[in-house]
Amino acid sequence: MLELLLTSFPAVIRYYQLKRRGEAMTVWNMRTAMFLWAFLAFFLFLAIFYFHPKSYSGLLPFRTVSVVAQTSGPVTELAVQNWQRVAAGDLLFRIENSKQRAALKQAEAEFDKIAAAEVKAADTVKVAQANVVMASASLDKLKGDLENAQTLLARNSGSRETLRLAESSFAVGEASLAGAQAQLNLAQADISQSLPAQRKAAEAALESAKAALAMTEVRSFTDGIITQLAMSEGSPASTLILSPAMVIIPDRPEKLPLRITAGFSQVTRTTLYEGMPAEISCDTNIGLSFSNTVLPARVRYVQPAISTGQIIPGGRLVDLDERVRRGSLLVYLELEHKEQEKLMLDGTGCLVQTYTTNLSGFTGHLIAATGVIKAVGLRLKVWGSLIAGIGLAGGGGH
């Protein structure tokens, strides 16, 4: 509408010329003016809609956190209610935990058994050491007896039978010493290897029991607001992500900039650029005062791929006839003034108007100036949607 008014001056001038001359206005004597009007309107429309693309699909996306239990059982305590604000680490609900507590007690009892085994092993080492000392002393005595028997036999004062008995006793003494030493090594191996391994296994079992018990207390992993809570004490806790116990709407991270997404027509790829100025008007920001309704923003990122072109390997070949619909060019925008982020409601739909200002020369300045028409049109659209009460909904990007 504004474009037609701005380019109608040739027809207006021709009309007043004919009026001064007293001539009647006909199609024939208005043909040049009308042709010039159509020519100017065409190029103005082309410049405005090509260099200042608009999208009706603006959206402030957000994610929710589904709360599910990691173990099954009836709920014994519900610590929150709908619309309650929670912080990370706050208790949400507890699940019946008698089985887990029993497993924890059993794991703790294993440490008492290991401690007793360590004391017994220490005593066993002492006994084995004493046996080694006794066997060593007995072997020294038997060695002396053997040497005496050999000396007496050499002097023809002893018998060979006595020598054989001494040799047999000495061999038995050596075997006894070897057996005592083996018992000592076995007891020391228990202390240095077996018992530490058993202690580590018991520690792992204890940690596992503690983790299983901790799973019976479901806590929040983020700051946010509880919603869609429909469980009560005695309800079975679900471990399925498709059946959450409740949903948390998380708070926006303070350091992460708020980004509005919008889908533009693919033909705007050569026009959109990072840093491009834009204006955003969202349904939830419209008010009679028109204050904070149209917010300045900038294009921060243009996604380098069209989502509908993504192909995932499957059991059959992709038929491109099923992908006739053209996808949109995804664009991320950020508000110019960070304090205005508090005005934005998660999930709100927005109308996004961009303006080309990076062209040089007289033509570039002229094209940038035509953005005023789009800016006025955006505000008229906002007022119209406010009066009609239908919001900023529209079809596609232009």
Side-chain angles (χ1 to χ4, degrees):
M1 185 65 180
L2 290 176
E3 294 87 345
L4 294 176
L5 290 175
L6 289 174
T7 55
S8 64
F9 63 89
V12 174
I13 294 174
R14 181 59 177 168
Y15 167 76
Y16 281 108
Q17 285 180 344
L18 294 175
K19 186 176 181 180
R20 283 198 307 270
R21 296 174 185 176
E23 299 180 12
M25 185 175 64
T26 64
V27 175
W28 179 253
N29 57 24
M30 288 289 293
R31 65 185 186 281
T32 302
M34 295 301 295
F35 176 78
L36 186 58
W37 184 7
F39 181 80
L40 291 175
F42 172 77
F43 279 99
L44 185 59
F45 271 102
L46 178 64
I48 290 176
F49 285 97
Y50 179 78
F51 289 103
H52 309 296
K54 178 174 59 178
S55 173
Y56 288 91
S57 61
L59 178 69
L60 180 56
F62 70 101
R63 296 291 298 270
T64 59
V65 178
S66 298
V67 179
V68 295
Q70 298 185 46
T71 186
S72 58
V75 175
T76 58
E77 179 184 351
L78 188 61
V80 294
Q81 55 186 354
N82 273 319
W83 312 122
Q84 179 178 333
R85 176 167 293 279
V86 294
D90 285 354
L91 176 67
L92 302 179
F93 60 91
R94 284 191 175 93
I95 303 171
E96 200 279 326
N97 59 6
S98 58
K99 181 179 178 180
Q100 288 79 3
R101 285 189 286 107
L104 180 59
K105 289 182 179 179
Q106 182 177 359
E108 291 173 343
E110 287 296 323
F111 280 94
D112 295 335
K113 292 173 60 177
I114 293 174
E118 288 174 344
V119 173
K120 181 179 178 181
D123 293 338
T124 303
V125 168
K126 292 179 181 179
V127 172
Q129 287 174 342
N131 290 336
V132 168
V133 173
M134 291 174 60
S136 179
S138 177
L139 183 63
D140 289 340
K141 181 180 180 301
L142 293 173
K143 183 178 180 181
D145 293 343
L146 177 60
E147 291 175 350
N148 291 334
Q150 290 172 343
T151 301
L152 291 174
L153 182 62
R155 296 177 180 178
N156 294 323
S157 298
S159 64
R160 291 187 176 277
E161 184 65 26
T162 302
L163 178 60
R164 284 196 297 271
L165 290 174
E167 289 175 345
S168 299
S169 298
F170 182 75
V172 172
E174 286 182 330
S176 298
L177 178 60
Q181 187 64 50
Q183 291 293 332
L184 177 60
N185 293 338
L186 182 61
Q188 290 175 338
D190 284 342
I191 291 179
S192 62
Q193 298 179 11
S194 299
L195 291 176
Q198 293 178 21
R199 179 171 286 276
K200 288 183 179 179
E203 289 175 351
L206 180 62
E207 292 300 322
S208 178
K210 288 181 178 178
L213 182 60
M215 288 181 184
T216 63
E217 292 186 351
V218 180
R219 298 180 179 274
S220 175
F221 284 91
T222 182
D223 300 342
I225 296 177
I226 299 292
T227 184
Q228 294 186 190
L229 170 61
M231 68 187 313
S232 60
E233 293 184 7
S235 299
S238 174
T239 58
L240 300 177
I241 191 65
L242 297 179
S243 300
M246 63 191 74
V247 174
I248 298 179
I249 302 175
D251 295 338
R252 297 175 189 163
E254 294 183 359
K255 296 182 180 180
L256 188 67
L258 182 144
R259 286 184 173 176
I260 299 93
T261 60
F264 287 82
S265 173
Q266 294 184 27
V267 299
T268 62
R269 179 66 182 88
T270 57
T271 305
L272 296 170
Y273 59 91
E274 294 183 6
M276 187 178 192
E279 287 184 322
I280 296 175
S281 181
C282 302
D283 286 326
T284 56
N285 291 47
I286 297 177
L288 284 174
S289 65
F290 214 73
S291 175
N292 294 317
T293 297
V294 178
L295 307 177
R298 284 194 181 272
V299 174
R300 291 305 180 195
Y301 183 72
V302 180
Q303 185 167 282
I306 307 298
S307 60
T308 55
Q310 182 182 10
I311 296 178
I312 301 175
R316 62 185 182 87
L317 296 177
V318 176
D319 188 349
L320 294 182
D321 285 341
E322 298 177 357
R323 296 175 177 267
V324 175
R325 186 180 68 84
R326 294 289 189 263
S328 59
L329 186 66
L330 183 60
V331 177
Y332 295 84
L333 303 101
E334 293 180 8
L335 297 178
E336 284 282 80
H337 307 294
K338 189 171 180 60
E339 62 272 13
Q340 291 179 337
E341 293 182 357
K342 298 179 181 179
L343 305 173
M344 302 292 286
L345 185 66
D346 290 340
T348 183
C350 305
L351 191 155
V352 178
Q353 176 65 61
T354 61
Y355 305 98
T356 297
T357 60
N358 64 336
L359 301 178
S360 59
F362 175 76
T363 304
H365 292 300
L366 185 61
I367 290 174
T370 59
V372 175
I373 298 175
K374 297 293 286 184
V376 173
L378 172 63
R379 284 153 178 82
L380 291 176
K381 170 71 175 177
V382 173
W383 271 110
S385 64
L386 175 63
I387 296 173
I390 60 174
L392 297 169
H398 302 285

